[in-house]
Amino acid sequence: MTTISTPGIGTDLRGRRLPKWAPWAIAAGAAVLSYLAIYLGGLLDGGWVLTAVVAVLLYLVLLAAVATGVEGSRAARNRVATSLIYSAFVLALLPLLSVVYTLVSKGVSRIDADFFTHSMNGITAFDANGGAYHAMIGTLEQVGLAALISVPLGVAAAVYIVEYGRGKLATAIRFFVDVMTGIPSIIAGLFVLAFYVFGMYKFFNHGQGGYSGFAASLALVVLMLPTVTRSCEEMLRLVPDALREGSYALGIAKWKTVMRVVLPTALPGIVTGVMLAVARAAGETAPVLLVSGGFNSINFNPFSGNQSSLAIYIWDQAGAASQYAPARAWSAALTLVAFVLTLTIVAKLLARRSKLK
Amino acid sequence: MAKRIEAVGVTAYYGTFKAIEDITMTIEPRSVTALIGPSGCGKSTFLRSINRMHEVLPGARVEGRLTLDGNDIYERNVDVTAVRRNIGMVFQRPNPFPTMSIFDNVVAGLKLNGVRKKSLLDDAAEKALKSANLWDEVKNRLGKPGAGLSGGQQQRLCIARTIAVQPAVVLMDEPCSALDPISTGAIEDLIFELKNEYTIIIVTHNMQQAARVSDRTAFFSISQTGDPGRLIEHDVTSKIFTNPREKRTEDYITGRFG
Ligand SMILES: Nc1ncnc2c1ncn2[C@@H]1O[C@H](COP(=O)(O)OP(=O)(O)O)[C@@H](O)[C@H]1O
Ligand SMILES: [Mg+2]
């Protein structure tokens, strides 16, 4: 009998291992070394960012060297790969944490009763108060209406594409959904401006065009529809055919199978997709500004008259010539993020509650 | 309740590929028929033609005549859902609905077809679960998800779900191939009991199983890869296993082929 030897794998099952504390010791060593050389020593003229980067690189090199010596090359590669993955994870998390930190630290200053109950009506550049109540109403109404229109349409389109569509029509629809996904948001705004604000709206308004919150909703629908359709389509495709067939085999009609078996199974994924679309829509500024006109007072009616929204409010306050405006912009930004976050959490909880325990 | 199935010259295609050709056989009510044969010879395809599940796949179609107590199930104005309600199916892998509780799984066929009355559903669920020999194991956890059961229990749940709508015929496509011997035994006992009320057709790769549970056995085979599967021999099980007419059947059963 011939034995094939595998390089690096001996017959002894237990190899020599670095002690548990060794990677930490190496990390500490690399940090100190880097600090001394880069930060204090002024080598490479670096600040603390460069110090951290060099520390990580040093750590990888030292770890590789020590591990190769003690544990062999395969184990060393494993350690380096693991460390690289952790570093990448931290690197990916940094911008997120940084955004959240900035948002909260700068945003809390104007989170007060005034901010949630007052508009900017009559607020001059020298007034410290004023709020975003009107903008919050606008965002809620516009995004709500947009979701109300685009979610049923998008889900229905996805159901058609996945469950019913065969042949050319389904392929064509898929293609156009793909194309629509790539539409720049300002184009959606221009489209609604021409089609609704200066077009259809005239029929309800004695021949006059005009801005409205609903026009903003329409622009958001144009943006949300393809996203909702695509994500919903992906989720429906993940539902195993075995479930559909299991349902058909009970003599359950196709539409009922879709409604009661396929959609509920895909629901958690669909909710996630819808929430991503809503989050994106809530932050849209340019197309909304173009068709809702923006406004500094309260307008509860989305179907008539200018309306503000949080995104417009942030854009407006960030550029306003007043020492009090930036704080309002940050607080509005924090509010917007909190709004999207709350919505996401609520939606996830609802989706989970519909699942059995 | 049980009904007779007659297949005359049934040929089935996947697109342009002919998977089975010219299958002619009669399946008597209140009997268990086993379909055996090597992999790829078209047992599943034939089984799926019987409840019109074959046509669910894009491009798949069936030719020939299939009747349920004399009524052609492929006739133009026949409602597929009615066909499938009368001809239930249990699949190779247990496929309980993941979003439904055990109870809802069992009564899915009734509930989704408009039966609302709680007492009716309760009775039907209990009866079906009892016939599927699952009642004692799940009666205290009917509200829990079906996916939380063991593989064997899930398969019995799927059988319960199938018989809850009281079909005339139950088709089973290798219902035990994913199960351990104990669960398999439980399902075989079950098939034996169900025979009193239903017409049962079961695909199996297990010769002993075919010999144990079936009254009649049909042997399918293909002459070479790419050819359509054909029915080689269909007879009383004991005859097929002791004294088959065809050499090929004998070779297959004694393990010289396939
Ligand atoms: N979905 C499908 N698409 C195309 N060909 C298929 C499909 N399912 C089965 N076939 C082919 O049809 C033939 C019969 O398959 P099947 O009925 O599954 O055989 P068995 O159940 O006896 O193993 C095989 O050649 C198989 O490759
Ligand atoms: Mg098969």
Side-chain angles (χ1 to χ4, degrees), chain B residues 13-15 17-20 37-48 54 57-58 92 173-174 203 205 220 222 225-227 229:
Chain B
Y13 299 83
Y14 292 98
F17 174 67
K18 194 191 273 182
I20 51 173
S39 279
C41 68
K43 306 178 296 291
S44 299
T45 306
F46 178 61
L47 202 69
R48 291 166 58 91
H54 180 65
L57 300 168
Q92 184 168 357
D173 194 350
E174 300 184 41
V203 173
H205 272 297
F220 284 63
I222 35 174
T225 320
D227 280 3

PDB file of all heavy atoms in Angstrom, chain B residues 13-15 17-20 37-48 54 57-58 92 173-174 203 205 220 222 225-227 229, ligand 1:
ATOM      1  N   TYR B  13     -43.698  14.670 -21.947  1.00  0.00           N
ATOM      2  CA  TYR B  13     -42.518  15.381 -22.442  1.00  0.00           C
ATOM      3  C   TYR B  13     -42.068  16.453 -21.463  1.00  0.00           C
ATOM      4  O   TYR B  13     -42.879  17.046 -20.751  1.00  0.00           O
ATOM      5  CB  TYR B  13     -42.845  16.090 -23.753  1.00  0.00           C
ATOM      6  CG  TYR B  13     -43.277  15.202 -24.877  1.00  0.00           C
ATOM      7  CD1 TYR B  13     -44.593  14.780 -24.974  1.00  0.00           C
ATOM      8  CD2 TYR B  13     -42.369  14.815 -25.854  1.00  0.00           C
ATOM      9  CE1 TYR B  13     -45.002  13.967 -26.017  1.00  0.00           C
ATOM     10  CE2 TYR B  13     -42.763  14.001 -26.909  1.00  0.00           C
ATOM     11  CZ  TYR B  13     -44.080  13.583 -26.983  1.00  0.00           C
ATOM     12  OH  TYR B  13     -44.480  12.789 -28.014  1.00  0.00           O
ATOM     13  N   TYR B  14     -40.745  16.697 -21.422  1.00  0.00           N
ATOM     14  CA  TYR B  14     -40.195  17.929 -20.838  1.00  0.00           C
ATOM     15  C   TYR B  14     -39.670  18.725 -22.028  1.00  0.00           C
ATOM     16  O   TYR B  14     -38.606  18.410 -22.551  1.00  0.00           O
ATOM     17  CB  TYR B  14     -39.043  17.621 -19.887  1.00  0.00           C
ATOM     18  CG  TYR B  14     -39.472  16.907 -18.619  1.00  0.00           C
ATOM     19  CD1 TYR B  14     -39.359  15.530 -18.506  1.00  0.00           C
ATOM     20  CD2 TYR B  14     -39.976  17.627 -17.543  1.00  0.00           C
ATOM     21  CE1 TYR B  14     -39.738  14.877 -17.340  1.00  0.00           C
ATOM     22  CE2 TYR B  14     -40.359  16.982 -16.373  1.00  0.00           C
ATOM     23  CZ  TYR B  14     -40.242  15.613 -16.281  1.00  0.00           C
ATOM     24  OH  TYR B  14     -40.613  14.982 -15.138  1.00  0.00           O
ATOM     25  N   GLY B  15     -40.415  19.697 -22.482  1.00  0.00           N
ATOM     26  CA  GLY B  15     -40.009  20.387 -23.706  1.00  0.00           C
ATOM     27  C   GLY B  15     -40.042  19.412 -24.858  1.00  0.00           C
ATOM     28  O   GLY B  15     -41.084  18.825 -25.160  1.00  0.00           O
ATOM     29  N   PHE B  17     -37.980  16.759 -24.858  1.00  0.00           N
ATOM     30  CA  PHE B  17     -37.502  15.463 -24.368  1.00  0.00           C
ATOM     31  C   PHE B  17     -38.672  14.588 -23.933  1.00  0.00           C
ATOM     32  O   PHE B  17     -39.483  14.969 -23.101  1.00  0.00           O
ATOM     33  CB  PHE B  17     -36.531  15.688 -23.206  1.00  0.00           C
ATOM     34  CG  PHE B  17     -36.091  14.411 -22.542  1.00  0.00           C
ATOM     35  CD1 PHE B  17     -35.292  13.502 -23.221  1.00  0.00           C
ATOM     36  CD2 PHE B  17     -36.481  14.120 -21.245  1.00  0.00           C
ATOM     37  CE1 PHE B  17     -34.898  12.326 -22.615  1.00  0.00           C
ATOM     38  CE2 PHE B  17     -36.080  12.944 -20.631  1.00  0.00           C
ATOM     39  CZ  PHE B  17     -35.282  12.043 -21.320  1.00  0.00           C
ATOM     40  N   LYS B  18     -38.742  13.406 -24.550  1.00  0.00           N
ATOM     41  CA  LYS B  18     -39.810  12.471 -24.207  1.00  0.00           C
ATOM     42  C   LYS B  18     -39.353  11.632 -23.018  1.00  0.00           C
ATOM     43  O   LYS B  18     -38.387  10.887 -23.120  1.00  0.00           O
ATOM     44  CB  LYS B  18     -40.083  11.570 -25.415  1.00  0.00           C
ATOM     45  CG  LYS B  18     -41.379  10.795 -25.295  1.00  0.00           C
ATOM     46  CD  LYS B  18     -41.465   9.735 -26.372  1.00  0.00           C
ATOM     47  CE  LYS B  18     -42.063  10.270 -27.673  1.00  0.00           C
ATOM     48  NZ  LYS B  18     -42.184   9.183 -28.683  1.00  0.00           N
ATOM     49  N   ALA B  19     -40.008  11.801 -21.868  1.00  0.00           N
ATOM     50  CA  ALA B  19     -39.546  11.125 -20.652  1.00  0.00           C
ATOM     51  C   ALA B  19     -40.195   9.759 -20.477  1.00  0.00           C
ATOM     52  O   ALA B  19     -39.552   8.812 -20.022  1.00  0.00           O
ATOM     53  CB  ALA B  19     -39.825  11.991 -19.431  1.00  0.00           C
ATOM     54  N   ILE B  20     -41.484   9.649 -20.807  1.00  0.00           N
ATOM     55  CA  ILE B  20     -42.124   8.328 -20.773  1.00  0.00           C
ATOM     56  C   ILE B  20     -42.952   8.152 -22.042  1.00  0.00           C
ATOM     57  O   ILE B  20     -43.415   9.134 -22.627  1.00  0.00           O
ATOM     58  CB  ILE B  20     -43.050   8.139 -19.541  1.00  0.00           C
ATOM     59  CG1 ILE B  20     -44.031   9.307 -19.413  1.00  0.00           C
ATOM     60  CG2 ILE B  20     -42.254   7.952 -18.275  1.00  0.00           C
ATOM     61  CD1 ILE B  20     -45.072   9.106 -18.325  1.00  0.00           C
ATOM     62  N   GLY B  37     -38.310   0.612 -10.564  1.00  0.00           N
ATOM     63  CA  GLY B  37     -37.496   0.736 -11.768  1.00  0.00           C
ATOM     64  C   GLY B  37     -36.284   1.591 -11.483  1.00  0.00           C
ATOM     65  O   GLY B  37     -36.242   2.303 -10.478  1.00  0.00           O
ATOM     66  N   PRO B  38     -35.292   1.541 -12.362  1.00  0.00           N
ATOM     67  CA  PRO B  38     -34.064   2.307 -12.147  1.00  0.00           C
ATOM     68  C   PRO B  38     -34.325   3.813 -12.171  1.00  0.00           C
ATOM     69  O   PRO B  38     -35.333   4.260 -12.707  1.00  0.00           O
ATOM     70  CB  PRO B  38     -33.164   1.885 -13.318  1.00  0.00           C
ATOM     71  CG  PRO B  38     -34.109   1.386 -14.356  1.00  0.00           C
ATOM     72  CD  PRO B  38     -35.251   0.770 -13.609  1.00  0.00           C
ATOM     73  N   SER B  39     -33.419   4.591 -11.614  1.00  0.00           N
ATOM     74  CA  SER B  39     -33.536   6.051 -11.606  1.00  0.00           C
ATOM     75  C   SER B  39     -33.635   6.590 -13.025  1.00  0.00           C
ATOM     76  O   SER B  39     -32.940   6.113 -13.917  1.00  0.00           O
ATOM     77  CB  SER B  39     -32.308   6.679 -10.955  1.00  0.00           C
ATOM     78  OG  SER B  39     -32.434   6.622  -9.577  1.00  0.00           O
ATOM     79  N   GLY B  40     -34.491   7.564 -13.206  1.00  0.00           N
ATOM     80  CA  GLY B  40     -34.591   8.215 -14.499  1.00  0.00           C
ATOM     81  C   GLY B  40     -35.470   7.494 -15.494  1.00  0.00           C
ATOM     82  O   GLY B  40     -35.544   7.889 -16.658  1.00  0.00           O
ATOM     83  N   CYS B  41     -36.171   6.437 -15.054  1.00  0.00           N
ATOM     84  CA  CYS B  41     -36.999   5.698 -16.007  1.00  0.00           C
ATOM     85  C   CYS B  41     -38.398   6.296 -16.098  1.00  0.00           C
ATOM     86  O   CYS B  41     -39.239   5.795 -16.849  1.00  0.00           O
ATOM     87  CB  CYS B  41     -37.067   4.228 -15.635  1.00  0.00           C
ATOM     88  SG  CYS B  41     -37.979   3.954 -14.118  1.00  0.00           S
ATOM     89  N   GLY B  42     -38.671   7.342 -15.346  1.00  0.00           N
ATOM     90  CA  GLY B  42     -39.927   8.066 -15.529  1.00  0.00           C
ATOM     91  C   GLY B  42     -41.028   7.732 -14.541  1.00  0.00           C
ATOM     92  O   GLY B  42     -42.188   8.043 -14.785  1.00  0.00           O
ATOM     93  N   LYS B  43     -40.676   7.127 -13.411  1.00  0.00           N
ATOM     94  CA  LYS B  43     -41.703   6.810 -12.411  1.00  0.00           C
ATOM     95  C   LYS B  43     -42.346   8.091 -11.887  1.00  0.00           C
ATOM     96  O   LYS B  43     -43.570   8.216 -11.846  1.00  0.00           O
ATOM     97  CB  LYS B  43     -41.085   6.035 -11.232  1.00  0.00           C
ATOM     98  CG  LYS B  43     -40.320   4.796 -11.653  1.00  0.00           C
ATOM     99  CD  LYS B  43     -39.698   4.092 -10.471  1.00  0.00           C
ATOM    100  CE  LYS B  43     -38.630   4.911  -9.755  1.00  0.00           C
ATOM    101  NZ  LYS B  43     -37.395   5.109 -10.526  1.00  0.00           N
ATOM    102  N   SER B  44     -41.496   9.057 -11.522  1.00  0.00           N
ATOM    103  CA  SER B  44     -42.038  10.312 -10.993  1.00  0.00           C
ATOM    104  C   SER B  44     -42.850  11.032 -12.060  1.00  0.00           C
ATOM    105  O   SER B  44     -43.905  11.600 -11.776  1.00  0.00           O
ATOM    106  CB  SER B  44     -40.912  11.226 -10.530  1.00  0.00           C
ATOM    107  OG  SER B  44     -40.174  10.614  -9.516  1.00  0.00           O
ATOM    108  N   THR B  45     -42.339  11.010 -13.269  1.00  0.00           N
ATOM    109  CA  THR B  45     -43.035  11.692 -14.355  1.00  0.00           C
ATOM    110  C   THR B  45     -44.429  11.107 -14.556  1.00  0.00           C
ATOM    111  O   THR B  45     -45.419  11.832 -14.685  1.00  0.00           O
ATOM    112  CB  THR B  45     -42.227  11.575 -15.654  1.00  0.00           C
ATOM    113  OG1 THR B  45     -40.908  12.037 -15.410  1.00  0.00           O
ATOM    114  CG2 THR B  45     -42.858  12.389 -16.768  1.00  0.00           C
ATOM    115  N   PHE B  46     -44.516   9.780 -14.540  1.00  0.00           N
ATOM    116  CA  PHE B  46     -45.820   9.138 -14.705  1.00  0.00           C
ATOM    117  C   PHE B  46     -46.732   9.495 -13.537  1.00  0.00           C
ATOM    118  O   PHE B  46     -47.895   9.866 -13.726  1.00  0.00           O
ATOM    119  CB  PHE B  46     -45.653   7.613 -14.810  1.00  0.00           C
ATOM    120  CG  PHE B  46     -46.956   6.886 -14.928  1.00  0.00           C
ATOM    121  CD1 PHE B  46     -47.790   7.133 -16.016  1.00  0.00           C
ATOM    122  CD2 PHE B  46     -47.367   5.989 -13.963  1.00  0.00           C
ATOM    123  CE1 PHE B  46     -49.014   6.483 -16.131  1.00  0.00           C
ATOM    124  CE2 PHE B  46     -48.587   5.339 -14.069  1.00  0.00           C
ATOM    125  CZ  PHE B  46     -49.414   5.588 -15.150  1.00  0.00           C
ATOM    126  N   LEU B  47     -46.174   9.422 -12.327  1.00  0.00           N
ATOM    127  CA  LEU B  47     -46.967   9.731 -11.137  1.00  0.00           C
ATOM    128  C   LEU B  47     -47.511  11.161 -11.213  1.00  0.00           C
ATOM    129  O   LEU B  47     -48.678  11.421 -10.923  1.00  0.00           O
ATOM    130  CB  LEU B  47     -46.089   9.571  -9.894  1.00  0.00           C
ATOM    131  CG  LEU B  47     -46.813   9.341  -8.577  1.00  0.00           C
ATOM    132  CD1 LEU B  47     -47.448   7.962  -8.583  1.00  0.00           C
ATOM    133  CD2 LEU B  47     -45.851   9.468  -7.408  1.00  0.00           C
ATOM    134  N   ARG B  48     -46.637  12.080 -11.630  1.00  0.00           N
ATOM    135  CA  ARG B  48     -47.046  13.486 -11.689  1.00  0.00           C
ATOM    136  C   ARG B  48     -48.020  13.753 -12.828  1.00  0.00           C
ATOM    137  O   ARG B  48     -48.712  14.769 -12.815  1.00  0.00           O
ATOM    138  CB  ARG B  48     -45.814  14.389 -11.802  1.00  0.00           C
ATOM    139  CG  ARG B  48     -44.985  14.407 -10.512  1.00  0.00           C
ATOM    140  CD  ARG B  48     -43.617  15.019 -10.747  1.00  0.00           C
ATOM    141  NE  ARG B  48     -43.709  16.374 -11.254  1.00  0.00           N
ATOM    142  CZ  ARG B  48     -43.740  17.453 -10.480  1.00  0.00           C
ATOM    143  NH1 ARG B  48     -43.657  17.330  -9.187  1.00  0.00           N
ATOM    144  NH2 ARG B  48     -43.835  18.654 -11.015  1.00  0.00           N
ATOM    145  N   HIS B  54     -47.499  17.369 -13.559  1.00  0.00           N
ATOM    146  CA  HIS B  54     -46.432  17.428 -14.556  1.00  0.00           C
ATOM    147  C   HIS B  54     -46.445  18.757 -15.298  1.00  0.00           C
ATOM    148  O   HIS B  54     -45.416  19.386 -15.507  1.00  0.00           O
ATOM    149  CB  HIS B  54     -46.610  16.266 -15.541  1.00  0.00           C
ATOM    150  CG  HIS B  54     -45.561  16.218 -16.617  1.00  0.00           C
ATOM    151  ND1 HIS B  54     -44.243  15.978 -16.337  1.00  0.00           N
ATOM    152  CD2 HIS B  54     -45.644  16.389 -17.960  1.00  0.00           C
ATOM    153  CE1 HIS B  54     -43.556  16.003 -17.466  1.00  0.00           C
ATOM    154  NE2 HIS B  54     -44.370  16.249 -18.460  1.00  0.00           N
ATOM    155  N   LEU B  57     -44.513  22.403 -14.645  1.00  0.00           N
ATOM    156  CA  LEU B  57     -43.198  22.807 -15.143  1.00  0.00           C
ATOM    157  C   LEU B  57     -43.335  23.419 -16.521  1.00  0.00           C
ATOM    158  O   LEU B  57     -44.122  22.947 -17.343  1.00  0.00           O
ATOM    159  CB  LEU B  57     -42.273  21.584 -15.206  1.00  0.00           C
ATOM    160  CG  LEU B  57     -42.056  20.895 -13.868  1.00  0.00           C
ATOM    161  CD1 LEU B  57     -41.373  19.550 -14.062  1.00  0.00           C
ATOM    162  CD2 LEU B  57     -41.226  21.778 -12.958  1.00  0.00           C
ATOM    163  N   PRO B  58     -42.572  24.492 -16.798  1.00  0.00           N
ATOM    164  CA  PRO B  58     -42.668  25.123 -18.111  1.00  0.00           C
ATOM    165  C   PRO B  58     -42.279  24.144 -19.221  1.00  0.00           C
ATOM    166  O   PRO B  58     -41.261  23.478 -19.118  1.00  0.00           O
ATOM    167  CB  PRO B  58     -41.663  26.284 -18.040  1.00  0.00           C
ATOM    168  CG  PRO B  58     -41.175  26.345 -16.645  1.00  0.00           C
ATOM    169  CD  PRO B  58     -41.610  25.126 -15.915  1.00  0.00           C
ATOM    170  N   GLN B  92     -41.351  13.342  -2.106  1.00  0.00           N
ATOM    171  CA  GLN B  92     -40.184  12.638  -1.594  1.00  0.00           C
ATOM    172  C   GLN B  92     -39.651  13.298  -0.328  1.00  0.00           C
ATOM    173  O   GLN B  92     -39.383  12.649   0.659  1.00  0.00           O
ATOM    174  CB  GLN B  92     -39.108  12.632  -2.685  1.00  0.00           C
ATOM    175  CG  GLN B  92     -37.872  11.861  -2.319  1.00  0.00           C
ATOM    176  CD  GLN B  92     -36.984  11.656  -3.528  1.00  0.00           C
ATOM    177  OE1 GLN B  92     -37.326  12.040  -4.640  1.00  0.00           O
ATOM    178  NE2 GLN B  92     -35.843  11.049  -3.324  1.00  0.00           N
ATOM    179  N   ASP B 173     -44.481   9.682  -3.887  1.00  0.00           N
ATOM    180  CA  ASP B 173     -43.236   9.580  -4.643  1.00  0.00           C
ATOM    181  C   ASP B 173     -42.082   9.351  -3.674  1.00  0.00           C
ATOM    182  O   ASP B 173     -41.614  10.282  -3.036  1.00  0.00           O
ATOM    183  CB  ASP B 173     -43.020  10.859  -5.460  1.00  0.00           C
ATOM    184  CG  ASP B 173     -41.935  10.676  -6.500  1.00  0.00           C
ATOM    185  OD1 ASP B 173     -41.239   9.641  -6.451  1.00  0.00           O
ATOM    186  OD2 ASP B 173     -41.791  11.559  -7.362  1.00  0.00           O
ATOM    187  N   GLU B 174     -41.650   8.132  -3.554  1.00  0.00           N
ATOM    188  CA  GLU B 174     -40.582   7.756  -2.624  1.00  0.00           C
ATOM    189  C   GLU B 174     -40.763   8.436  -1.271  1.00  0.00           C
ATOM    190  O   GLU B 174     -39.890   9.168  -0.805  1.00  0.00           O
ATOM    191  CB  GLU B 174     -39.220   8.142  -3.206  1.00  0.00           C
ATOM    192  CG  GLU B 174     -38.931   7.464  -4.539  1.00  0.00           C
ATOM    193  CD  GLU B 174     -37.522   7.792  -5.042  1.00  0.00           C
ATOM    194  OE1 GLU B 174     -36.610   7.812  -4.217  1.00  0.00           O
ATOM    195  OE2 GLU B 174     -37.368   8.035  -6.238  1.00  0.00           O
ATOM    196  N   VAL B 203     -44.216   5.188  -5.432  1.00  0.00           N
ATOM    197  CA  VAL B 203     -42.939   4.958  -6.099  1.00  0.00           C
ATOM    198  C   VAL B 203     -41.945   4.578  -5.023  1.00  0.00           C
ATOM    199  O   VAL B 203     -41.895   5.223  -3.975  1.00  0.00           O
ATOM    200  CB  VAL B 203     -42.448   6.235  -6.803  1.00  0.00           C
ATOM    201  CG1 VAL B 203     -41.033   6.041  -7.348  1.00  0.00           C
ATOM    202  CG2 VAL B 203     -43.389   6.625  -7.931  1.00  0.00           C
ATOM    203  N   HIS B 205     -37.811   2.799  -4.255  1.00  0.00           N
ATOM    204  CA  HIS B 205     -36.570   2.180  -4.715  1.00  0.00           C
ATOM    205  C   HIS B 205     -36.246   0.958  -3.881  1.00  0.00           C
ATOM    206  O   HIS B 205     -35.262   0.280  -4.112  1.00  0.00           O
ATOM    207  CB  HIS B 205     -35.416   3.183  -4.588  1.00  0.00           C
ATOM    208  CG  HIS B 205     -35.274   4.024  -5.810  1.00  0.00           C
ATOM    209  ND1 HIS B 205     -34.958   3.507  -7.027  1.00  0.00           N
ATOM    210  CD2 HIS B 205     -35.426   5.350  -6.004  1.00  0.00           C
ATOM    211  CE1 HIS B 205     -34.919   4.466  -7.918  1.00  0.00           C
ATOM    212  NE2 HIS B 205     -35.203   5.599  -7.325  1.00  0.00           N
ATOM    213  N   PHE B 220     -40.947  -0.220 -14.422  1.00  0.00           N
ATOM    214  CA  PHE B 220     -40.614   0.706 -15.510  1.00  0.00           C
ATOM    215  C   PHE B 220     -39.134   0.563 -15.834  1.00  0.00           C
ATOM    216  O   PHE B 220     -38.330   0.274 -14.960  1.00  0.00           O
ATOM    217  CB  PHE B 220     -40.838   2.164 -15.079  1.00  0.00           C
ATOM    218  CG  PHE B 220     -42.270   2.595 -15.048  1.00  0.00           C
ATOM    219  CD1 PHE B 220     -43.167   1.993 -14.189  1.00  0.00           C
ATOM    220  CD2 PHE B 220     -42.716   3.629 -15.867  1.00  0.00           C
ATOM    221  CE1 PHE B 220     -44.488   2.401 -14.144  1.00  0.00           C
ATOM    222  CE2 PHE B 220     -44.035   4.042 -15.833  1.00  0.00           C
ATOM    223  CZ  PHE B 220     -44.921   3.426 -14.965  1.00  0.00           C
ATOM    224  N   ILE B 222     -35.815   1.889 -18.901  1.00  0.00           N
ATOM    225  CA  ILE B 222     -35.392   2.505 -20.154  1.00  0.00           C
ATOM    226  C   ILE B 222     -34.360   1.601 -20.787  1.00  0.00           C
ATOM    227  O   ILE B 222     -33.567   0.978 -20.087  1.00  0.00           O
ATOM    228  CB  ILE B 222     -34.754   3.905 -19.955  1.00  0.00           C
ATOM    229  CG1 ILE B 222     -33.944   3.953 -18.647  1.00  0.00           C
ATOM    230  CG2 ILE B 222     -35.781   4.990 -19.992  1.00  0.00           C
ATOM    231  CD1 ILE B 222     -33.176   5.238 -18.477  1.00  0.00           C
ATOM    232  N   THR B 225     -29.832   5.442 -22.039  1.00  0.00           N
ATOM    233  CA  THR B 225     -29.966   6.836 -21.649  1.00  0.00           C
ATOM    234  C   THR B 225     -30.491   7.669 -22.811  1.00  0.00           C
ATOM    235  O   THR B 225     -30.030   7.520 -23.938  1.00  0.00           O
ATOM    236  CB  THR B 225     -28.598   7.412 -21.215  1.00  0.00           C
ATOM    237  OG1 THR B 225     -27.922   6.418 -20.474  1.00  0.00           O
ATOM    238  CG2 THR B 225     -28.785   8.656 -20.383  1.00  0.00           C
ATOM    239  N   GLY B 226     -31.450   8.542 -22.514  1.00  0.00           N
ATOM    240  CA  GLY B 226     -32.008   9.384 -23.570  1.00  0.00           C
ATOM    241  C   GLY B 226     -33.286   8.826 -24.151  1.00  0.00           C
ATOM    242  O   GLY B 226     -34.083   9.554 -24.721  1.00  0.00           O
ATOM    243  N   ASP B 227     -33.493   7.517 -24.000  1.00  0.00           N
ATOM    244  CA  ASP B 227     -34.742   6.916 -24.460  1.00  0.00           C
ATOM    245  C   ASP B 227     -35.844   7.175 -23.441  1.00  0.00           C
ATOM    246  O   ASP B 227     -35.566   7.369 -22.263  1.00  0.00           O
ATOM    247  CB  ASP B 227     -34.560   5.401 -24.628  1.00  0.00           C
ATOM    248  CG  ASP B 227     -33.875   5.065 -25.939  1.00  0.00           C
ATOM    249  OD1 ASP B 227     -33.505   6.020 -26.645  1.00  0.00           O
ATOM    250  OD2 ASP B 227     -33.700   3.868 -26.232  1.00  0.00           O
ATOM    251  N   GLY B 229     -38.852   6.304 -20.846  1.00  0.00           N
ATOM    252  CA  GLY B 229     -39.140   5.158 -19.988  1.00  0.00           C
ATOM    253  C   GLY B 229     -40.406   4.451 -20.451  1.00  0.00           C
ATOM    254  O   GLY B 229     -41.316   5.074 -20.997  1.00  0.00           O
TER     255      GLY B 229
HETATM  256  N1  LIG C   1     -37.825  18.976 -14.696  1.00  0.00           N
HETATM  257  C1  LIG C   1     -37.288  18.207 -15.655  1.00  0.00           C
HETATM  258  N2  LIG C   1     -36.836  18.762 -16.798  1.00  0.00           N
HETATM  259  C2  LIG C   1     -36.301  17.996 -17.769  1.00  0.00           C
HETATM  260  N3  LIG C   1     -36.156  16.674 -17.686  1.00  0.00           N
HETATM  261  C3  LIG C   1     -36.571  16.054 -16.578  1.00  0.00           C
HETATM  262  C4  LIG C   1     -37.162  16.789 -15.497  1.00  0.00           C
HETATM  263  N4  LIG C   1     -37.478  15.933 -14.515  1.00  0.00           N
HETATM  264  C5  LIG C   1     -37.108  14.703 -14.960  1.00  0.00           C
HETATM  265  N5  LIG C   1     -36.561  14.789 -16.182  1.00  0.00           N
HETATM  266  C6  LIG C   1     -36.068  13.671 -16.981  1.00  0.00           C
HETATM  267  O1  LIG C   1     -37.120  12.779 -17.223  1.00  0.00           O
HETATM  268  C7  LIG C   1     -36.687  11.432 -17.082  1.00  0.00           C
HETATM  269  C8  LIG C   1     -37.535  10.718 -16.074  1.00  0.00           C
HETATM  270  O2  LIG C   1     -37.326  11.306 -14.820  1.00  0.00           O
HETATM  271  P1  LIG C   1     -38.115  10.896 -13.511  1.00  0.00           P
HETATM  272  O3  LIG C   1     -39.547  10.762 -13.853  1.00  0.00           O
HETATM  273  O4  LIG C   1     -37.759  11.850 -12.444  1.00  0.00           O
HETATM  274  O5  LIG C   1     -37.497   9.461 -13.197  1.00  0.00           O
HETATM  275  P2  LIG C   1     -37.567   8.576 -11.877  1.00  0.00           P
HETATM  276  O6  LIG C   1     -38.545   9.204 -10.950  1.00  0.00           O
HETATM  277  O7  LIG C   1     -37.987   7.227 -12.365  1.00  0.00           O
HETATM  278  O8  LIG C   1     -36.200   8.526 -11.310  1.00  0.00           O
HETATM  279  C9  LIG C   1     -35.204  11.488 -16.714  1.00  0.00           C
HETATM  280  O9  LIG C   1     -34.447  11.282 -17.885  1.00  0.00           O
HETATM  281  C10 LIG C   1     -35.021  12.888 -16.213  1.00  0.00           C
HETATM  282  O10 LIG C   1     -33.733  13.344 -16.503  1.00  0.00           O
END
